[in-house]
Amino acid sequence: QSVLTQPPSASGTPGQRVTISCSGSSSNIGSNTVNWYQQLPGTAPKLLIYSNNQRPSGVPDRFSGSKSGTSASLAISGLQSEDEADYYCAAWDDSLNVYVVFGGGTKLTVL
Amino acid sequence: EVQLVESGGGLVQPGGSLRLSCAASGFTFSSYWMSWVRQAPGKGLEWVANIKQDGSEKYYVDSVKGRFTISRDNAKNSLYLQMNSLRAEDTAVYYCARTTIPDYWGQGTLVTVSS
């Protein structure tokens, strides 16, 4: 059971906009920034969004992030087949004995 | 270009030990916190440990405390994870990653704990 809660799956058709949610608590998302990662099949995770809504160089602006209270969201617009992957959120957690927490991951299927 | 290359994974019996290494290049290694993150087969990501730039602070997930030790050698641009008393549930791909909430990841090394 992950500390951050994500839907296990999401789907969309090419060109659509999809959102993936990440729910936490006051000790993690509520008081710290959120990162999002994309993991293509058989590969290592790749940073997609940092500090809630910042894109690293090279990440298309089709990907955007937001945060409100103890929840965060990743939005993907103009969905493409190559976006089919697992997506994870992550945040620092201020609770005792817990430092970095990840969401359980969301498998995105492009129909 | 930032590169992180893990090595040292393999098959080990329950109760055994293994030492993972991560060779870093393309950035000033001594200026960054470093982390280990693992992913069990078919499962999600789990943070394992991280270490401060000078090695003076180290943090671990509860499930590995007392069994795993993270360390680094800034002169060699290398990160390590000494894993002792390994259990079946430690079976995973282990990723070396830069900073506490990772920005760059290595390709991972598979650790299989089985008799």
Side-chain angles (χ1 to χ4, degrees):
Chain A
Q1 185 116 0
S2 302
V3 174
L4 303 182
T5 301
Q6 296 180 236
S9 63
S11 64
T13 57
Q16 267 192 332
R17 181 178 188 271
V18 298
T19 61
I20 297 172
S21 62
C22 175
S23 178
S25 67
S26 58
S27 65
N28 42 65
I29 294 178
S31 51
N32 297 290
T33 61
V34 178
N35 282 13
W36 287 92
Y37 303 92
Q38 178 192 59
Q39 187 175 33
L40 297 170
T43 69
K46 168 193 167 185
L47 181 63
L48 208 57
I49 297 288
Y50 68 96
S51 296
N52 303 328
N53 55 18
Q54 303 298 302
R55 282 186 310 276
S57 173
V59 173
D61 59 6
R62 303 187 295 105
F63 295 91
S64 61
S66 63
K67 188 184 99 167
S68 178
T70 59
S71 294
S73 291
L74 172 70
I76 309 172
S77 59
L79 198 62
Q80 299 179 4
S81 58
E82 56 261 39
D83 298 333
E84 188 160 293
D86 293 324
Y87 293 85
Y88 294 89
C89 57
W92 187 267
D93 195 299
D94 299 327
S95 298
L96 184 64
N97 296 330
V98 179
Y99 298 99
V100 179
V101 290
F102 287 91
T106 298
K107 181 171 180 58
L108 175 63
T109 301
V110 181
L111 302 170
Chain B
E1 178 193 4
V2 172
Q3 286 200 342
L4 299 167
V5 180
E6 302 93 337
S7 60
L11 175 63
V12 60
Q13 291 189 338
S17 298
L18 215 52
R19 188 194 194 209
L20 305 183
S21 299
C22 171
S25 61
F27 65 101
T28 305
F29 180 74
S30 59
S31 297
Y32 289 85
W33 280 78
M34 295 295 295
S35 300
W36 287 99
V37 178
R38 67 184 178 183
Q39 185 170 34
K43 302 297 184 182
L45 301 169
E46 180 185 37
W47 168 76
V48 174
N50 53 33
I51 184 169
K52 195 176 180 179
Q53 290 90 330
D54 62 358
S56 62
E57 294 181 36
K58 305 175 185 181
Y59 301 101
Y60 302 90
V61 68
D62 279 353
S63 59
V64 309
K65 282 181 182 176
R67 300 188 300 123
F68 290 11
T69 302
I70 188 172
S71 63
R72 64 192 296 162
D73 185 335
N74 288 341
K76 295 183 177 180
N77 290 339
S78 293
L79 178 72
Y80 306 100
L81 187 67
Q82 177 67 44
M83 304 185 295
N84 299 329
S85 303
L86 282 162
R87 306 167 180 167
E89 53 264 36
D90 296 319
T91 294
V93 173
Y94 284 73
Y95 294 103
C96 165
R98 192 177 79 166
T99 75
T100 51
I101 312 292
D103 55 1
Y104 287 92
W105 302 65
Q107 85 288 349
T109 187
L110 176 62
V111 172
T112 303
V113 183
S114 175
S115 55

